[in-house]
Amino acid sequence: MIGIKKIGVWLPENFESAGEISSKSGIPEKVIKEKMGIIRKCRAPRNIMPSFMAIEAAKKVLKDEDPLSIDMIIWTGSEYKDHIVWSAGIFVQEALGLRNAFAFDVAARCSSNVVGLKIAKDMMNSNSKINKVLLCGGHKTGDLVNYRDENSRFLYNLSDGGSAILLEKNVGNELGEASIITDGSFSKDVIIPAGGVEKPLNEYYRDEDRFLCVPDVIGMRNRLAEKSLSNFIHVIKEAATQTCTRPIDYLALLHMKRSAHDEILNRLELKEEQSIYLDQFGHFGAPDQVLSLALAEQNELLQKGDHIVLASAGIGYTWSAISVTWSEKCSVEKIIY
């Protein structure tokens, strides 16, 4: 049995309000709040790196743990890291003194945590020497938003923060089955034009080429309308039903526009209080599910025996979900917001 022993979240003290986003984008504040679902979102100062966010979140879950007892580290944070072509997980390993572990990075965009949990579970089950695994990551994708680009409005919720999960064999909060769908027809729909091999940093590029952009917004919208919701529902239901017959008690979902969030709950026949809408935080990427889980624990929404599903979608596109049977409280530092 592989279980979630501890979870940790690091959030910056700074926020960007709906009013500020409105003034930068020209979109009415009411639309940003009610349609986009952004009351405010977390933003980190310029000098705070994604690795710092991951390390600070990891410190919370490693408190009272022997650093030499950690066997593996998986970076589940953003690909937008401190440096390009860089292994952030190995940096985290050194910073935290986890000398007996080995580390690697996972890149599945906003699905990195769910995919990382599946990888960790499978590796732990197949290797008797891997008993404790740290998954952690930092996101500063708020830097990549261009408020002047109307085609990328659905990215305006991108925010900053870090998360960590400590897995261990033979502890409670057992990880169940996962379900993952990828669709390569979306693979170039959201890109940063500059900085890769195709358009190297030493070549001329426009200022807007350093932000996330959508080259074919109409095509992407049409394909998403056809596939996204059905794929989301599929992975959630498959992860849940393959794990147990009990209905879902809590859904830890990424931040998205309010109408999409409500529609997912409606199709799964879940009540509003069976998920937390992250309109006070924004969309971190992979840490969304960890934050949702931490808030649910803090607000005493989770009971022993509850069936929980963590679900996300990553641009590219990757729809993912993993089930958890909740059996004991997780130690979570209070999140003030």
Side-chain angles (χ1 to χ4, degrees), residues 14-29 32 36 38 40-44 141-150 152-153 155-160 210-211:
N14 299 350
F15 290 88
E16 191 172 11
S17 69
E20 291 173 297
I21 296 171
S22 174
S23 66
K24 294 174 183 178
S25 65
I27 299 172
E29 185 174 348
I32 292 169
M36 295 183 176
I38 310 169
R40 62 179 189 172
K41 65 178 192 177
C42 299
R43 289 307 316 275
T141 43
D143 288 355
L144 304 178
V145 177
N146 182 3
Y147 291 122
R148 300 183 302 275
D149 181 3
E150 293 184 359
S152 65
R153 285 185 177 184
L155 300 170
Y156 286 7
N157 63 346
L158 291 177
S159 59
D160 307 338
R210 63 189 178 87
F211 297 103

Side-chain angles (χ1 to χ4, degrees), residues 130-199:
I130 304 176
N131 296 297
K132 282 188 183 182
V133 174
L134 171 70
L135 296 92
C136 64
H139 282 249
K140 207 174 184 183
T141 43
D143 288 355
L144 304 178
V145 177
N146 182 3
Y147 291 122
R148 300 183 302 275
D149 181 3
E150 293 184 359
N151 290 341
S152 65
R153 285 185 177 184
F154 73 99
L155 300 170
Y156 286 7
N157 63 346
L158 291 177
S159 59
D160 307 338
S163 70
I165 304 171
L166 181 62
L167 300 181
E168 187 172 342
K169 287 179 179 175
N170 302 316
V171 300
N173 305 327
E174 182 180 4
L175 282 180
E177 296 302 316
S179 177
I180 300 168
I181 295 174
T182 58
D183 187 336
S185 67
F186 297 91
S187 64
K188 288 199 172 184
D189 278 331
V190 183
I191 61 170
I192 301 173
V197 175
E198 189 171 298
K199 187 176 284 190

Side-chain angles (χ1 to χ4, degrees), residues 40-203:
R40 62 179 189 172
K41 65 178 192 177
C42 299
R43 289 307 316 275
R46 173 68 184 86
N47 64 333
I48 297 297
M49 299 293 110
S51 64
F52 173 86
M53 303 179 197
I55 290 165
E56 291 303 305
K59 286 178 180 177
K60 299 176 189 293
V61 303
L62 295 177
K63 185 179 180 181
D64 302 323
E65 300 285 336
D66 178 2
L68 300 183
S69 69
I70 306 301
D71 302 302
M72 186 169 75
I73 304 149
I74 304 178
W75 171 269
T76 54
S78 176
E79 296 165 69
Y80 177 60
K81 298 177 278 194
D82 308 23
H83 311 284
I84 61 172
V85 196
W86 188 62
S87 297
I90 298 175
F91 180 82
V92 169
Q93 174 192 3
E94 175 65 17
L96 295 172
L98 309 180
R99 296 183 182 87
N100 287 340
F102 66 94
F104 60 93
D105 295 9
V106 165
R109 306 297 283 270
C110 300
S111 282
S112 293
N113 254 339
V114 176
V115 173
L117 285 169
K118 174 174 172 50
I119 292 170
K121 178 190 171 186
D122 290 349
M123 292 183 69
M124 293 172 81
N125 279 329
S126 65
N127 191 327
S128 61
K129 294 182 179 180
I130 304 176
N131 296 297
K132 282 188 183 182
V133 174
L134 171 70
L135 296 92
C136 64
H139 282 249
K140 207 174 184 183
T141 43
D143 288 355
L144 304 178
V145 177
N146 182 3
Y147 291 122
R148 300 183 302 275
D149 181 3
E150 293 184 359
N151 290 341
S152 65
R153 285 185 177 184
F154 73 99
L155 300 170
Y156 286 7
N157 63 346
L158 291 177
S159 59
D160 307 338
S163 70
I165 304 171
L166 181 62
L167 300 181
E168 187 172 342
K169 287 179 179 175
N170 302 316
V171 300
N173 305 327
E174 182 180 4
L175 282 180
E177 296 302 316
S179 177
I180 300 168
I181 295 174
T182 58
D183 187 336
S185 67
F186 297 91
S187 64
K188 288 199 172 184
D189 278 331
V190 183
I191 61 170
I192 301 173
V197 175
E198 189 171 298
K199 187 176 284 190
L201 288 173
N202 61 352
E203 292 185 5

Side-chain angles (χ1 to χ4, degrees), residues 231-244:
N231 283 349
F232 229 138
I233 298 300
H234 176 85
V235 295
I236 293 170
K237 285 185 174 181
E238 185 170 68
T241 55
Q242 286 184 344
T243 298
C244 67

